[in-house]
Amino acid sequence: MKQYVIYRRVSTEEQGKSGLGLDAQNRDIKLFRANFSEEPHEVLAEFEDHLSGKHDARPELQKALDLVRKTGAELLVSKLDRLSRKVSFIATLMDDPKVKLRVASMPQADKFQLHIYAALAEQEREFISARTKAALAEAKAKGTKLGGLRPKTDARNKAIQANARARAEKVAGLVQPLRAQGATFKAIADTLNASGVPTARGGRWQPSQVKRVLERLEAAE
C-alpha cells in the first residue's frame, strides 16, 4: 500500500495560528490524494513548521524526513517551495536514496523536473530582488521620496489586497492544479466559465484575470 508522510510549512507563527496559507496547502494535498494518488493509500503522519523556507533547520521537517527514511513512505508537500526555497537544499534531498518526494501541485513531475523547477524559481526570486533594489535606487537618485503613505491610503490598499487574495483563494482548487498540468491561462478561463464559476464582478473569466489570480496565490504563499 502506498504510504505518505505529509509536511506543511508557513512562514510565521501568526500565519500558523490564523490558518493563512494552511488552507491552500490542505486543499492541494486533498486534491492530489483524491485524484492522482495510488489507491489504496494511507497517511502515516503529518508535520507542520512555522518557519521561513530560507531556514534548513526545521524540527518538524526533520521528523518527517526521519520517518520517510525509516518507513520508505513518500514525503508529500503541497508545493515545492513549502519544502524549501533553496535549490541546494532540495537537490540534497533528491540525492538521498532513502527520500521519496511527491509534490501535490505537480503530481506527474519526476525528480529531474522538480530539480529544474526549483532552480528556475530560485533564479526568478534573485532577479526580482535585484530588480526591486535597482528600481528603488533609481527612484532615490531622481529625488523621489520613498515610502510614507498616509495611514488611510495604506489601510485602503491593504484591504483591497486582502479582498483580492480572498477571491483568489476561492478558485485556487481549480486554477492551480490545471496550471500545474500545463494548462494555458485561456484554457483555465474556459474551464471556469464552463463550470459556471463567476468572476468577482459576476462576469466571465479572461486569460488575464486567471494570470492575476495565480500571481496572487503565489505571492500569498
Side-chain angles (χ1 to χ4, degrees):
M1 180 186 294
K2 174 70 69 174
Q3 295 178 319
Y4 295 111
V5 173
I6 294 175
Y7 175 72
R8 306 179 187 85
R9 179 185 64 78
V10 286
S11 297
T12 65
E13 187 68 25
E14 287 73 22
Q15 284 182 318
K17 289 179 179 178
S18 67
L20 181 61
L22 292 177
D23 287 344
Q25 293 178 61
N26 289 332
R27 182 173 54 247
D28 286 352
I29 290 170
K30 182 179 180 180
L31 185 64
F32 169 82
R33 292 180 59 195
N35 296 277
F36 298 98
S37 176
E38 294 179 16
E39 293 291 351
H41 68 265
E42 64 176 333
V43 175
L44 296 184
E46 302 184 32
F47 299 89
E48 183 180 306
D49 275 314
H50 299 167
L51 292 167
S52 169
K54 297 179 180 178
H55 300 298
D56 295 342
R58 281 172 271 152
E60 295 303 305
L61 175 58
Q62 190 56 55
K63 292 177 184 177
L65 290 171
D66 288 344
L67 184 58
V68 164
R69 294 184 179 108
K70 180 179 179 181
T71 62
E74 288 190 358
L75 182 67
L76 176 59
V77 296
S78 63
K79 296 182 66 177
L80 198 56
D81 63 6
R82 297 302 88 193
L83 181 60
S84 178
R85 292 185 179 276
K86 296 170 62 176
V87 66
S88 58
F89 181 81
I90 293 173
T92 298
L93 284 184
M94 290 182 178
D95 287 339
D96 189 332
K98 293 185 178 181
V99 174
K100 298 178 183 179
L101 176 62
R102 182 71 63 177
V103 179
S105 61
M106 293 184 285
Q108 308 301 335
D110 57 25
K111 281 190 174 184
F112 178 71
Q113 292 169 323
L114 291 175
H115 195 161
I116 291 177
Y117 178 85
L120 292 175
E122 184 173 85
Q123 288 183 29
E124 183 180 30
R125 285 192 296 272
E126 291 174 352
F127 181 81
I128 291 173
S129 176
R131 183 178 61 190
T132 300
K133 291 178 181 178
L136 290 174
E138 182 178 353
K140 186 176 181 180
K142 291 180 179 179
T144 302
K145 186 177 180 181
L146 304 177
L149 283 176
R150 294 180 181 179
K152 289 185 178 180
T153 301
D154 187 36
R156 183 171 63 251
N157 289 342
K158 288 181 178 179
I160 292 172
Q161 292 171 4
N163 288 334
R165 285 195 298 270
R167 291 195 299 269
E169 287 286 347
K170 290 182 179 180
V171 295
L174 283 174
V175 299
Q176 286 184 319
L178 288 172
R179 187 59 175 170
Q181 295 175 46
T184 64
F185 297 137
K186 183 179 184 305
I188 297 174
D190 291 342
T191 299
L192 289 169
N193 291 330
S195 300
V197 179
T199 64
R201 296 183 178 181
R204 293 178 59 80
W205 288 88
Q206 301 298 324
S208 59
Q209 293 170 300
V210 172
K211 182 175 183 293
R212 287 196 296 272
V213 164
L214 287 165
E215 288 173 347
R216 290 186 182 113
L217 291 171
E218 289 285 343
E221 296 175 357

